Amino acid sequence: MRLLSVLITICCLTQSWALHSSEAGIVDWHKPLVGVPLYSTLSTAPAFHRISEADGRTHSVVLTATASNVLAALDPVDGTIAWRHIFEANEHVIAYKQHGNVVATVSGSGGATLRLLDATTGHLLVERCFHKLEAGRLFEPETLGTALAFDNEENGDTYVLSNAHILRRTNAKTGEVVWGWSAPDQASLVAYSRLIATSSTVYVVGLAKSFTSYTLHVSAVSAKTGEFITSIDVPSSITNGLTDFFVLASNKHPQVKPRIMWLEGGAIKSFPLTPELKETPMMIKGAEYHKIVDVGLSEHGQFVAIKEDGAGRVIRLGEDGVKVIWEFAESATSKQYTESIYSGGLDKDGWPYIARVYWSHISKKASAHILAAHLADGKGLVTGFTLPFQTSDHGVITHVAVDIANPEEFKVLARLFLTTSTGAVQLWQQNELQWSREEGLAEIKVAELVELPEKQVVTAHAGEDEPVGERLVRQLSDARDFPQYALNFARRFVTGSYASVSSSVAPSANASEPLARDEFGFRKVIIAVTARSKIYGIDSANGEVLWSRVFGLGWAAEVGGHIIPVKIFVTRTVNDGGAPEVVLVTQRKASNSLVDTVIFHVNPLTGEDVRDPTSPRDGLLQGLDVIAGPLVETYMLQLGPSNVVVLLDEFVQVHLYPNTDEIRDAFVKALPSIYLPLRTGPPKHRQLTGHQISPKPEFTGKHVAQPTWTLSLPPSEDILAIIPRPREPIASLGKVLGNRTTLYKYLNPHLSAVVAGSSVSCSLYLIDSAKGTVLYHVVLPSTDGACDIKVVLAENWLVYQYYDGDMGGVDQAKGYRIVSVELYEGSGVDDKTRSSDLSSLSNKSTAITTFEETFVLPRAISTIVSTATTHGITMKDIIVASENHQIQSFPRRFLDPRRPKRKPTNEELEEWLIQYDPILPDDPKRVLSHTYQVVGTKHIVTSPALLESTSLVFAYGQDLFFTRVAPSNTFDVLSEDFNKAQLVLTIAGLALAIVIAKPIVRRKRLREKWYDQ
Amino acid sequence: MRIPLGLLALASLLLSCCYPVLALDLKGRIRWNEVCPGIGDLGQAKVVLDNGKLRGGVTRDGSFVIPDVPAGTYVLSVAAHDHVFDQLRVDVFETETLPEVRPYIPGTPLSPAAVVTLPYPIVLAPRQRNDYFVPRQSFNLLAMFQNPMMLLMLGMGGLVVAMPYLMKNMDPAMLQDFQKRQARIGSLQSSLQSGDLSGGLSALMDTGEEEKPAPKQTTPAGIKHRSGKGKKR
């Protein structure tokens, strides 16, 4: 018996669910994303970069730093990611610059770290830290005070300006600092922000604050030795210190001295840079200018100046000085088109081009004009085309990067890389869209999985009184497919090719049938809402975007604003009959600082507006302003057959959506059982207050929540998170132990976990949110003054993770800890209080027994979640996103807090308990994301499939990853390893043996009867 | 016009001025081996101390530098997607310029420290490459016959076939004895199958006394065999 149980245990532990290599990419998918390009400053904005290979050929990449803190290279041919370099969350990428086969990048506040990357592969060549992250100066914007330049003459050494006053030259091969120069005033007077290197001298240009404006200040430093040559104040007065000055150089004419260009009182002035800095400022005459735009060609001697009337002029630095060479026709401000975006690009030979892109309100198309200043014998040539840009899908164009090919004298071909306001990036070759990437999906804020309806079998025919002839024809045509069906049936019967749990559920390529679920309910639609005003419906079978809608701003459209998604609720599923519905609760921040709470109500299958089904699908999705003010709390309440979204405004008044008479009546009836824990008080000192809703509406016609209890936390502690127990089906109310006693699970529906923290320590509470009783409390160490505790609460099981950096403890080991806590009713075994149905006013509702155990987690994690299944019969696994870009699962069996610390007894073996081991096994077979690098996961959503054994997992944050897991193996379907052919063959063989043996035996019997007696 | 250029934190300025004395740049190298032959295989990886606040990236030649490490005891680990590395315990001292590096087994107490010290600069070798997949269990004849249960079954089958020959070669006295025992078990089994437990048990008990009927019961089987053989000849 004992041996048997040991055997069973071993079998169960070794035969865990894991992926076969053939299933990778079939049962799961991964969409690597780079994030939305940071286009606001030139040093991080997308740009084409041409790389020469050893054999003389060239290929291009689109380089960009992104809002997801990634430096990425995209292949312009097909839009795939050539490489991406991921920066740590506390170290923002500030600037990048390309030179030959090297991309230099500076990150961290003040320009803390320089990295050199291989432009083709993205491999890290050199990493050099200049100062600690906390020693970096904080500028607004962050990119200010940092600049990068390459030494063109020699071996490509890098000049880095950091912290607005330190200039360093670093060796391109080793990363060693060749020399460093620090401004004597430590940036207290002059903040340097621009840098230009010539073969002999490096110039740093900065601004000194004067009475009402800024004054230019230049320092010249020897490029060879780092010796300070001289510095002067250039007499100037600049109002916008961010954009109104830059340094212009012309690398086609190395003898031409670089110049500082700036805008001063509507005039463009320039100051030639010589090592002695003895020149005098000059002014470009001719017009009043509104602003000057560095289009990324400052090293190629061109920029754009915008006149007072909005018209764009191209100004060039040549051998003959700084001159206006072109004015774009019809570029003055007009109601017929939007403000133009100017962008510079280069061709293969390094000639500069300037593109002007604008949106025409009349033709509803985007137009691009490309100026080639050197063509047509230097007179300049403009070519143009229009782009059928889908503004209803992608918002407006916010940035353009351009790459030019000039195959013939008068032929200019452009490739445009567009960044849009919804976060899409697109590559257009002339007027044709080559590819489009939805990088906005890297900023999903809320996501939910919605079940699909069953496939509809079409059986409609014309009715009763159908003529015989027609009917015969119809039936014959129906029967036409019968032979094929019969053949299929026979084949299926023999080979056993039924629907398999490890097959793809993606629809076939040419299928145009409506969305329908598969046999096992693996296919769902993922509703994802990004921070960039867009909602997507994503097919969970393959990650394709089924539909997407852009949010309308309502009244705020006139002043501008943005929409922050708060929560998403599935108010109707297919099981409730009819089309499913989701309600999205958002806050709209208008540019005039007014905040409203807006609800969007959509059909998750089509993206149709449920409130107004007649509205065009390609228009903006308009919401309903439910609260004219900010939102405090929102949740979904089930009232009889329908689900209602309950919203509380800042005066804790209750708003209902949908708001009909029946729902209001049902809500009043349900009021006594509603308890709301709310965060109250000023920020940093927030306390938890329980609320109940008054049964009678106030004079405003709204119900108001009234405080019933307050959780008195220490005054230094601030509430960081409230995690309510999820509403999920529970299959068993207790756990039967080996000695036939039962531990009853503590299933209080009002259980919530509360994370609170001060600068010195963190606290985790489990509270009964109906009356504010603390059921469980633990104090955890904080790491560097921050509380980084990940908590998951499922059924009666609490799991939390923290970092223990304390060397003074008993175990004296630093590391990540994961604690598993199980809550049971009463004072021990067989003590039943019926906690799931018990009134929260009963004293017994707080009687609990806890079991807890700590384990060592192999590495840092960014989020933690438990699996979810339809009926809750399947064991729950813990799924985490770890720091090395993996999604990993940890089985419940290892996290059982009742694991004995000695050899398990027979009774414990019957419960399949294994001996306690502090280290959780780090099994690569349990890495759900296997070879995929799932970068930047912030949230994981789990959702049940129709199959009880299987849970669907969707991870988002930056990359999207979807898979399915079976924590207790797929016990409800035949194993994939089951060999049906073998079974059929064996049965056939046995049948054959019977057929052969039967007459022989009969004959033998007969003979025995005749001869033997 | 909203650039607070003057927003220069004095405290951070002071920090940056007087820090570098106590801190040390921790240097090391990943030794490429057959598990991981180069940076292309390793991908973007970082070497972290403790919870990752102090870290350094692995460059193309395998080297890494963790800058500005203050004095203290740290656990050094490598965060790579596909490869497993050892963890190390690193002690940085205020007075000495070289740190002490020791092997460290995760989950064990940091003190007492291991006696073995490792050379500095640190050299780390990839231990193994993660294998994420389980092989599919396909139908394999050889593997099937290597299964102990299968072997047992084969042995049984062999015995069944060989039994008549064995019996034929047996000494007649022994054979009778054997057949007696066989019959007893056979009767027990048949009575168990028919549900007559007491009958079966009594049969088992009785057989000791009544030796006579037992051979009678078993004879048909014996004769059958012999007669069968005889006929064939």
Side-chain angles (χ1 to χ4, degrees), chain A residues 822-999:
Chain A
E822 277 182 348
L823 311 170
Y824 292 101
E825 290 180 357
S827 53
V829 291
D830 286 343
D831 190 354
K832 191 171 175 184
T833 62
R834 296 182 171 275
S835 57
S836 52
D837 319 320
L838 199 64
S839 157
S840 45
L841 301 173
S842 165
N843 272 340
K844 279 200 281 183
S845 71
T846 56
I848 56 163
T849 310
T850 55
F851 294 90
E852 58 184 314
E853 200 57 83
T854 310
F855 302 91
V856 175
L857 203 63
R859 57 185 68 86
I861 59 171
S862 62
T863 184
I864 183 167
V865 79
S866 77
T867 56
T869 55
T870 323
H871 302 293
I873 299 166
T874 307
M875 213 177 264
K876 282 185 187 304
D877 274 5
I878 289 294
I879 295 174
V880 301
S882 62
E883 62 169 347
N884 52 350
H885 311 314
Q886 293 174 336
I887 309 292
Q888 194 170 3
S889 76
F890 288 100
R892 164 73 177 251
R893 200 184 307 284
F894 289 116
L895 284 164
D896 197 321
R898 293 179 56 249
R899 281 171 70 176
K901 297 210 166 151
R902 53 191 151 66
K903 225 165 170 220
T905 61
N906 272 349
E907 284 179 357
E908 284 161 348
L909 279 174
E910 269 186 63
E911 285 183 62
W912 291 0
L913 289 174
I914 41 172
Q915 191 172 349
Y916 174 74
D917 182 20
I919 298 176
L920 283 182
D922 180 21
D923 183 6
K925 304 267 191 290
R926 290 198 162 267
V927 176
L928 308 176
S929 57
H930 52 92
T931 53
Y932 301 144
Q933 296 233 11
V934 185
V935 173
T937 304
K938 293 195 181 76
H939 302 278
I940 301 176
V941 183
T942 54
S943 170
L946 277 186
L947 214 55
E948 167 56 30
S949 65
T950 309
S951 175
L952 308 176
V953 180
F954 175 57
Y956 62 94
Q958 183 183 335
D959 285 6
L960 308 184
F961 172 70
F962 182 90
T963 190
R964 40 201 201 226
V965 288
S968 308
N969 292 339
T970 45
F971 57 82
D972 41 8
V973 280
L974 208 53
S975 160
E976 281 297 299
D977 301 326
F978 177 74
N979 195 335
K980 190 173 175 187
Q982 192 186 1
L983 182 74
V984 169
L985 277 178
T986 312
I987 292 172
L990 286 174
L992 193 73
I994 289 170
V995 169
I996 295 169
K998 207 172 178 183

Side-chain angles (χ1 to χ4, degrees), chain A residues 273-286:
Chain A
L273 291 169
T274 57
E276 298 79 33
L277 300 174
K278 289 246 168 80
E279 305 280 330
T280 48
M282 288 178 275
M283 202 172 102
I284 300 169
K285 295 186 184 72

Side-chain angles (χ1 to χ4, degrees), chain B residues 1 31 51 59 95 101 108 138 141 169 183 201 225:
Chain B
M1 240 322 280
R31 196 181 64 224
N51 59 345
T59 58
T95 45
V101 185
T108 58
S138 56
L141 208 68
N169 297 341
L201 276 176
H225 274 292

Side-chain angles (χ1 to χ4, degrees), chain B residues 38-52:
Chain B
I39 190 82
D41 235 34
L42 188 69
Q44 190 188 342
K46 61 180 176 181
V47 181
V48 296
L49 292 183
D50 289 353
N51 59 345

Side-chain angles (χ1 to χ4, degrees), chain A residues 478-496:
Chain A
D478 282 354
R480 194 182 48 198
D481 293 334
F482 179 75
Q484 190 152 18
Y485 171 79
L487 197 73
N488 269 341
F489 178 81
R491 198 169 41 120
R492 208 169 61 209
F493 182 75
V494 176
T495 60

